Amino acid sequence: MDIKRLLLALALSFVFIITWNVFFPPEEEVQELEAPKKPEVSQPEIRQVQEELSIVIENAHSSTTTTISTPLTILELGNGATSIHNLKVVENNANNTYKHAGSWDDAGQNYIADSPVELIRNATCNPCLVIEGKSVHFQQNNFYQKNNSQIIESVSEEKIIKETIIYNDSYVVDHKFKNLPDKNIILVWDAGLLPSEQLIKDDLSYFSVYAQNQESYEEEYLASIDTEKSFTFNENVGWAGLKSKYFIKAITNYDYNNLKAKKVVFNVSPAQIIDGVQTVDANMEYHYGYQDLEGGSLEFSSYIGPIDLKYLNQEKNKHLSQLFGFGWFFIGYLGKAVMWLLTTLYSIIPNYGVVCILFAFIIRFFTGPLTKKSFLSNQKMQAIQPKLKKIQEKYKDDSTKLNQEIMGLYQKEGVNPLGGCLPILIQMPLLIALFQVFRKTIEFRGAPFLPFWITDLSQPDVVLQFDFLKDIWGINYFFGHGIALLPIIMGVVMFLNMRMTATANINPSQTSTMYIMNGFFILLFNTFPSGLNLYYTVYNVLNFLQQRKLQKIKS
């Protein structure tokens, strides 16, 4: 009977989805996207810097800009083409659409879903070279292309040379200064990192600043920042930056274990309000002593782009791949294996929704025997319950004798009291790794499953929206963005599974607690990406079917 109800619930759910989308289709403006043009940059004339850059960022003025295009980014450079003024991500999919689309307009009022992601807008210093409190002016002197890169040479009045190298196959930009004076210098990076997600609260919860701490890094989250605040990292920092949910702005160098800034200061302040949520802004100051400079030169790199392991694992910046946050120790290795399998399957089946479903079958193939072992162990425990209760009643006043008799019963009946829990505990590291990867991977961002239902696996599969829910404190966290379908389906499956196993529960009074937890999971998963929920829903359906089969074998 339970299996019939499950199948009926699933069928009705899909009928509801199709009917709703047919009669109430989402209102969208469909625009044909043009692939970004390949770089066509002729050798520009020398540009005169029009305005003096100031260390006080809010009072600074940008200079004339130079535009450089690559297959991955479009950059506008100011201050003699030494500083990144604007940066858009224009990497293409195979069908010539933007792989990373979606950005907020200048006023922060409208989210443009089909525009390329914009990470930097109207910045003044990315970077500015500040010597004794004064920022250095540059003039563009030369431009040329070499191998797979575009190189700009700029010169200051003080004869300081800046070489900017932009790569066509990487989000890395190299910055090389020569002829620096024997003075302490500061590199200033302003403008922070723009939010990229329509669910701005979700994106904001991931905003953080980070800095190298030996082989790992320290991190400070910014979601709760409502006043100006500074974070200072003093322990010789080789790399640091800003991070949102799917994108990072990292400042590093090839020899980061040796060439380190004396300190890095993040100045954080609330920025404009977008979609009713106040975002944060941050600029970075890298402080170097003159003794840290080798021959009056300083070389470092910026990585401003997606948290995509395809690019983070490149030779120049492998150490940045840990910013994905796979987890510690064994879970981290499992997470990397999950990511490898996920992308490998996608290369064979180019639909991440189908890959999520296939993933559920693969994981159930490995965890199924453990689940079966746990079930059989629980059955043995339930079979000896009458004998166990007699022993407990007989020796209730003698704890030593009670424990001896219970252990003797376990040995006689061949029962392991941990046998039901151990297989579940063994699965936990894998499930945690899956949760980490499926919730944060940029591979799901903008990836569709079905055109009439899940069009973005990184977002909840919202089918109903009620604006008044946004104004109810507490409820708005779970349902402010709408009501998703997959968590409801998963909740139904979990309910049926709990009811099936509760009939033979040792303590039936605990079933109410189980149902409350089930309801909480429905609330929590309503905020999760649909890719993660699709996987867990299919996984729970398979788990239910296995439990049902084992119950029939038992009876």
Side-chain angles (χ1 to χ4, degrees), residues 239-309:
W239 52 275
L242 309 169
K243 183 159 72 79
S244 64
K245 184 175 183 180
Y246 294 115
F247 298 92
I248 58 173
K249 180 179 183 179
I251 314 304
T252 183
N253 62 75
Y254 302 142
D255 193 22
Y256 63 90
N257 278 323
N258 294 314
L259 178 58
K260 297 178 182 290
K262 287 187 172 300
K263 66 177 180 178
V264 174
V265 181
F266 293 92
N267 300 307
V268 181
S269 60
Q272 63 180 335
I273 294 178
I274 297 179
D275 197 30
V277 179
Q278 186 163 281
T279 65
V280 292
D281 197 4
N283 68 63
M284 299 177 279
E285 297 176 4
Y286 282 70
H287 295 251
Y288 292 92
Y290 66 88
Q291 66 272 19
D292 300 319
L293 309 178
E294 296 183 3
S297 64
L298 175 63
E299 298 184 8
F300 60 93
S301 303
S302 63
Y303 179 103
I304 307 174
I307 305 176
D308 186 339
L309 295 181

Side-chain angles (χ1 to χ4, degrees), residues 102 152 179 208 238 256 330 373 441 543:
I152 301 172
N179 297 336
S208 66
Y256 63 90
F330 184 60
K373 186 175 181 179
T441 177
N543 182 64

